[in-house]
């Protein structure tokens, strides 16, 4: 076996040095590169299409549900405070809002964590699941004491709000941040240039150029239609890769003004609004110094104003709400507690409750529009990528076939 192998190796070396051997090497290298590039293109573009489906069907809905969880929890806390402040029969409406917010929070939690298997999400869910019953228990205790006229009810409500502010809402905020980070990761993956595929297609073009030059030198023919056809097919595949990815990236628009960033910014704006509203109502529970509460309110309101600006409809609603809040603070500092409560939770057109409701509706409308824009962008990206896996693969298989069809007649001339 040893001499046979040595003889075979020697023959191959000698054959590779001949014109038919060189031509055969050109064919093998070009065909292998065409097939490798074709399968790489099909794989990378298929991954992009799959990632787009995940973003549209799972990642984005989970992000929306996560911000909904935060909003629902914060709304429940504000409604609990409003119920506590409402006299007699007027507490029915805040009570209904509180119960609805809890139901919304439970639904959003289930949706935002559906199918999650990572350790961080499991810890967040476990913490929320443990703290939510504790929170509702404290609220019910506060409510029972308040109905009987016991001052200790405000202490229970403050303790419940502390559980909400220090555990439930921070966990919901972490979950929201994780879900929006996943949306950004999916978008970047979809919009990224398929480097491996592009590099392999460029190698195909180089092999076609080098192969054509070798054929010219070895066969004295000016051009080989097979190599030219292979190069043309490779150029079409390269253009398909670049154009499809470019259209997808443009549709997603991951820049500062893109739908994804607007969606996330508006979600954070709505969260900041809920945080400020919670502080607004909690200030009236303890009937003490409201300086610390005002600092928190002003911090959230400032964050909200930066995100909304002053020219938007939501920005104008924020200005009205801020004026209503200032009227509440003025009444409280003048020791007119009933007027402060009426301003905080009343139904008058200029009350803080009415103005906040208008702001929240505006934020919700803007958030819904940004979400529609994001999902439309994902659909457009999916359309751009739809045929790219099979299309680029077919073009590069055609390129491989063109190499064989074009070079084989030249090779037969020497055999």
């Amino acid at each position: 076996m040893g001499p046979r192998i040595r003889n075979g190796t020697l023959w191959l070396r000698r054959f590779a040095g001949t014109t038919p051997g060189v031509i055969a090497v050109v064919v093998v290298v070009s065909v292998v590169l065409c097939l490798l590039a074709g399968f790489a293109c099909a794989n990378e573009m298929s991954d992009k299409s799959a990632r787009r489906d995940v973003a549209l069907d799972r990642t984005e809905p989970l992000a929306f549900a996560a911000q909904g969880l935060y909003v629902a929890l914060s709304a429940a806390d504000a409604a609990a405070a409003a119920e506590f402040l409402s006299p007699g029969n007027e507490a029915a409406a805040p009570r209904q809002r509180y119960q609805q917010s809890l139901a919304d929070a439970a639904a959003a939690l289930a949706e935002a964590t559906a199918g999650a298997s990572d350790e961080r999400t499991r810890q967040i869910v476990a913490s929320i699941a443990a703290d939510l019953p504790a929170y509702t228990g404290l609220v019910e205790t506060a409510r029972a004491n308040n109905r009987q006229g016991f001052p200790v009810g405000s202490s229970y409500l403050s303790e419940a709000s502390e559980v909400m502010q220090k555990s439930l809402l921070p966990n919901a905020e972490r979950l929201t941040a994780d879900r929006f980070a996943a949306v950004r990761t999916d978008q970047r993956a979809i919009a990224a240039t398929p480097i491996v595929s592009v590099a392999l297609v460029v190698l195909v073009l180089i092999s076609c150029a080098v192969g054509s030059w070798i054929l010219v030198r070895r066969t004295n023919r000016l051009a080989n239609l097979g190599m030219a056809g292979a190069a043309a097919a490779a150029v079409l595949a390269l253009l398909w890769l670049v154009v499809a990815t470019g259209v997808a990236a443009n549709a997603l628009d991951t820049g500062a003004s893109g739908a994804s960033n607007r969606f996330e910014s508006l979600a954070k704006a709505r969260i900041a609004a809920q945080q400020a509203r919670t502080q607004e109502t909690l200030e009236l529970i303890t009937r003490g110094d409201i300086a610390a509460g005002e600092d928190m309110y002003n911090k959230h309101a400032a964050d909200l104003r930066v995100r909304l600006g002053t020219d938007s409809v939501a920005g104008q609603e924020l200005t009205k709400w801020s004026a209503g809040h200032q009227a509440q603070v003025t009444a409280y500092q003048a020791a007119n507690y009933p007027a402060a409560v009426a301003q905080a939770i009343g139904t008058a057109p200029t009350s803080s409750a009415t103005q906040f409701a208008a702001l929240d509706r505006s934020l919700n409308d803007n958030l819904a529009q940004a979400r529609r824009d994001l999902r439309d962008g994902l659909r457009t990206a999916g359309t751009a990528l739809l045929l790219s896996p099979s299309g680029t693969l077919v073009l590069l298989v055609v390129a491989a076939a063109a190499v064989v069809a074009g070079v084989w007649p030249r090779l037969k001339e020497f055999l």
Side-chain angles (χ1 to χ4, degrees):
M1 292 296 293
R4 291 183 179 179
I5 293 175
R6 284 194 297 271
N7 291 336
T9 303
L10 182 60
W11 182 86
L12 285 174
R13 287 178 180 175
R14 290 176 178 174
F15 179 73
T18 65
T19 295
V22 171
I23 294 175
V25 170
V26 168
V27 172
V28 170
V29 171
S30 298
V31 168
V32 168
L33 283 175
C34 285
L35 295 179
L36 283 176
F39 286 116
C41 291
N43 183 61
E44 281 198 281
M45 302 308 282
S46 293
D47 286 346
K48 286 180 177 292
S49 293
R51 200 67 176 262
R52 171 264 185 187
D53 292 340
V54 169
L56 190 62
D57 298 335
R58 177 173 172 77
T59 312
E60 183 280 327
L62 292 184
F64 184 75
Q67 68 83 31
L69 169 65
Y70 190 104
V71 169
L73 287 172
S74 188
D77 203 32
E83 181 190 7
F84 191 89
L85 294 170
S86 300
N89 294 332
E90 294 182 16
R95 178 66 178 176
Q96 186 176 4
R97 289 198 301 272
Y98 167 76
Q99 292 174 333
Q100 183 60 53
S101 296
L102 287 181
D104 292 342
L109 178 62
E111 184 176 353
T113 58
S117 58
D118 60 288
E119 182 62 26
R120 178 180 170 88
T121 300
R122 286 201 299 268
Q123 290 177 354
I124 290 174
V125 172
S127 180
I128 293 176
D131 289 336
L132 192 55
Y135 169 79
T136 56
L138 288 168
V139 170
E140 292 307 313
T141 302
R143 180 170 178 262
N145 279 277
N146 189 50
R147 290 179 63 183
Q148 298 178 62
F150 298 153
V152 73
S154 62
S155 298
Y156 280 110
L157 189 62
S158 296
E159 187 177 351
S161 188
E162 186 172 356
V163 172
M164 177 67 75
Q165 298 298 321
K166 293 186 176 180
S167 180
L168 285 168
L169 291 182
N171 277 311
E173 190 168 11
R174 282 192 286 272
L175 183 62
T176 301
D178 289 349
R179 292 295 179 250
F180 275 107
V183 172
R184 291 193 300 273
T185 299
D186 284 345
Q187 284 189 303
R188 285 194 295 267
I190 296 167
T193 301
I195 299 297
V196 174
S197 298
V198 169
L200 286 172
V201 175
V202 170
L203 284 178
V204 169
L205 291 171
I206 292 173
S207 73
C208 289
V210 173
S212 296
W213 179 78
I214 291 173
L215 288 172
V216 169
R217 294 290 300 273
R218 294 282 179 161
T219 65
N220 293 320
R221 295 175 183 269
L222 293 178
N224 184 280
L225 292 179
M227 297 300 287
V235 168
L236 287 176
L238 183 60
L239 288 174
W240 199 328
L241 289 174
V242 173
V243 171
T245 304
V247 171
N250 186 64
L252 294 176
D253 190 6
T254 56
S257 60
S260 176
N261 283 326
R262 285 192 290 110
F263 183 32
E264 184 173 1
S265 181
L266 286 167
K268 291 179 178 179
R270 197 177 182 204
I271 286 172
Q274 290 290 343
Q275 289 172 325
R277 174 58 179 167
T278 299
Q279 289 298 326
E280 183 176 56
T281 53
L282 288 177
E283 286 178 0
L284 301 178
I285 298 297
T286 57
R287 300 195 186 192
D289 185 7
I290 63 172
E294 275 299 288
D295 287 342
M296 292 299 295
Y297 172 88
N298 291 329
K299 175 185 174 182
H300 297 314
D303 179 30
L304 186 56
R305 188 166 296 284
V306 169
R307 294 184 183 280
L308 298 179
T310 56
D311 296 332
S312 66
V313 174
Q316 294 170 4
E317 296 293 352
L318 172 59
T319 299
K320 295 177 183 178
W321 177 37
S322 297
H325 174 75
Q326 188 56 49
Q328 170 190 323
V329 172
T330 300
Y332 185 85
Q333 292 174 338
N336 191 348
Y337 185 75
V341 170
Q343 179 63 27
I345 64 173
T347 58
T350 57
S351 71
S352 295
T354 301
Q355 299 295 349
F356 174 77
L359 171 62
D360 191 55
R361 283 193 301 270
S362 180
L363 286 172
N364 191 43
D365 291 343
N366 291 341
L367 184 65
Q369 182 59 54
R371 186 189 186 199
R372 285 193 294 270
D373 292 343
L374 174 59
R375 292 183 66 81
D376 287 345
L378 287 169
R379 293 188 185 96
T380 301
T383 301
L385 298 170
L386 183 60
L387 297 177
S388 56
S390 57
T392 51
L393 175 59
V394 167
L395 283 172
L396 288 161
V397 168
V398 168
V403 170
V404 174
V407 179
W408 177 246
R410 305 288 76 80
L411 184 59
K412 285 198 302 182
E413 292 175 358
F414 296 93
L415 298 178

